[in-house]
Amino acid sequence: MAIEVKNISYTYPGSTVTAVENVSMKIEKGERVAIIGQNGAGKSTTVKLMNNIYKPTSGEIIIDGINTKNQTTAQTAPHVGYVFQNPFNQITGARDTVYGEIAYGLENFGVPVAEIKTRVEKIMEITNTTYLQEKNPFELSGGQQQRVALASVLVLEPDILVIDEPTSQLDPQVTERVFEIIKTMKQMGKTIILVEHKMELVAEYCDEVVVLHQGKVIRHGDKHDVLSEIELEKFGVMLPLTVYLANELKKHGVRMKDNIITSDEMADQLQKIGKKE
């Protein structure tokens, strides 16, 4: 088990409103789990609790068998890497080159210089940032900064990655590049927890989906089961466009396979229907 969340609740200091209430979930090692829901549902709060940035008001979180209750964020960091929504908040500015920025965390952990060089070069290749290594991180485009932010976390080699809306400020082409990196991390056996609003990408790249509404978990299961549930609209949840198309086709008498959520699945289904006709 990568992460076990047990009945956690959280109220921000000075607030009387519970941001997250009695949230529980289990995430297996190597899974890609998307946390979705309308704005204000508690998604970012939940992943910050998982990363030990916030401490639950009640309940507990177990990461790789370790209770985070008495751990600091720094103690959790080797196990869980956190990528912020805005890469500008992730870049430290402690170094004036991309190479130095990516290496900075390893330097703080006292990793030998030779190993730093090996790990930084490897992660720059994976994230396609090698050509940026001599540039100042603050002079990069938003997409380039996001890849550097990812690299600075990935180079620490955490088993679990928490990624909070990494593509909210990126164009479609750069977004695809970021998700290709996420796909590579999956292939490397990493556990990925992703907050994302772009449902087509969630449908394509994730394994399971958690739906939050008003700080509570209302759905958690296989992506095909959750994302094909048209009734989730009443909770302000946007679904993949393919789901709406499949629903309309069914209304017009077209016999569609259940739980179609990706464009590839839709294309395959329509091709089969065309051959039958």
Side-chain angles (χ1 to χ4, degrees):
M1 188 74 62
I3 295 183
E4 186 173 3
V5 177
K6 298 182 178 181
N7 299 110
I8 60 168
S9 296
Y10 183 77
T11 302
Y12 283 93
S15 175
T16 58
V17 179
T18 303
V20 170
E21 185 176 354
N22 293 325
V23 166
S24 294
M25 67 182 80
K26 293 180 180 181
I27 298 174
E28 299 289 343
K29 292 183 178 181
E31 282 187 333
R32 286 178 295 189
V33 179
I35 299 180
I36 68 172
Q38 64 185 155
N39 290 335
K43 304 184 297 296
S44 289
T45 302
T46 299
V47 294
K48 285 183 171 70
L49 287 162
M50 287 181 176
N51 195 50
N52 207 22
I53 293 175
Y54 299 158
K55 291 288 187 183
T57 307
S58 62
E60 58 185 15
I61 298 174
I62 312 298
I63 297 175
D64 280 340
I66 301 171
N67 194 317
T68 63
K69 182 177 181 179
N70 298 316
Q71 285 202 317
T72 64
T73 304
Q75 288 173 315
T76 307
H79 303 280
V80 186
Y82 185 85
V83 180
F84 287 84
Q85 178 178 350
N86 187 342
F88 193 82
N89 295 330
Q90 188 111 28
I91 294 172
T92 65
R95 298 289 184 269
D96 58 7
T97 67
V98 165
Y99 184 99
E101 179 67 31
I102 296 171
Y104 183 62
L106 295 175
E107 293 171 358
N108 284 338
F109 281 114
V111 176
V113 173
E115 184 178 346
I116 289 176
K117 184 176 185 295
T118 300
R119 286 166 65 169
V120 170
E121 289 177 353
K122 175 185 175 183
I123 216 66
M124 284 195 302
E125 183 178 348
I126 290 173
T127 56
N128 189 27
T129 53
T130 303
Y131 73 102
L132 301 171
Q133 61 182 309
E134 297 302 325
K135 293 186 176 295
N136 188 309
F138 291 113
E139 295 175 354
L140 305 179
S141 68
Q144 291 169 338
Q145 284 189 336
Q146 189 60 275
R147 298 207 309 277
V148 171
L150 267 168
S152 68
V153 173
L154 295 175
V155 77
L156 301 176
E157 299 182 351
D159 290 327
I160 303 166
L161 297 171
V162 177
I163 309 175
D164 192 355
E165 296 193 50
T167 66
S168 61
Q169 303 176 57
L170 306 181
D171 63 40
Q173 185 177 12
V174 178
T175 293
E176 285 290 344
R177 290 176 186 164
V178 170
F179 269 83
E180 282 301 314
I181 296 170
I182 292 173
K183 182 179 179 180
T184 300
M185 293 303 102
K186 164 73 173 180
Q187 293 168 348
M188 293 172 66
K190 304 294 184 183
T191 303
I192 299 167
I193 301 161
L194 175 72
V195 175
E196 182 57 70
H197 281 292
K198 296 172 182 174
M199 292 299 101
E200 282 71 27
L201 293 171
V202 170
E204 182 177 354
Y205 286 95
C206 292
D207 304 313
E208 294 206 345
V209 176
V210 176
V211 182
L212 291 180
H213 180 68
Q214 295 180 352
K216 298 179 180 179
V217 174
I218 60 171
R219 298 289 189 280
H220 182 188
D222 178 85
K223 65 180 181 180
H224 286 90
D225 295 330
V226 176
L227 294 180
S228 61
E229 188 176 342
I230 203 76
E231 291 79 10
L232 287 174
E233 280 188 305
K234 66 184 179 183
F235 297 105
V237 176
M238 293 297 295
L239 300 172
L241 294 176
T242 303
V243 174
Y244 298 115
L245 175 58
N247 193 54
E248 287 300 314
L249 288 171
K250 286 180 181 179
K251 286 180 181 179
H252 287 81
V254 180
R255 296 186 65 179
M256 300 292 295
K257 180 182 177 182
D258 290 335
N259 299 357
I260 290 176
I261 62 171
T262 71
S263 57
D264 285 346
E265 290 169 351
M266 175 60 77
D268 182 63
Q269 179 68 13
L270 292 177
Q271 188 177 43
K272 289 178 179 177
I273 292 172
K275 287 181 179 178
K276 288 179 182 179
E277 294 178 353

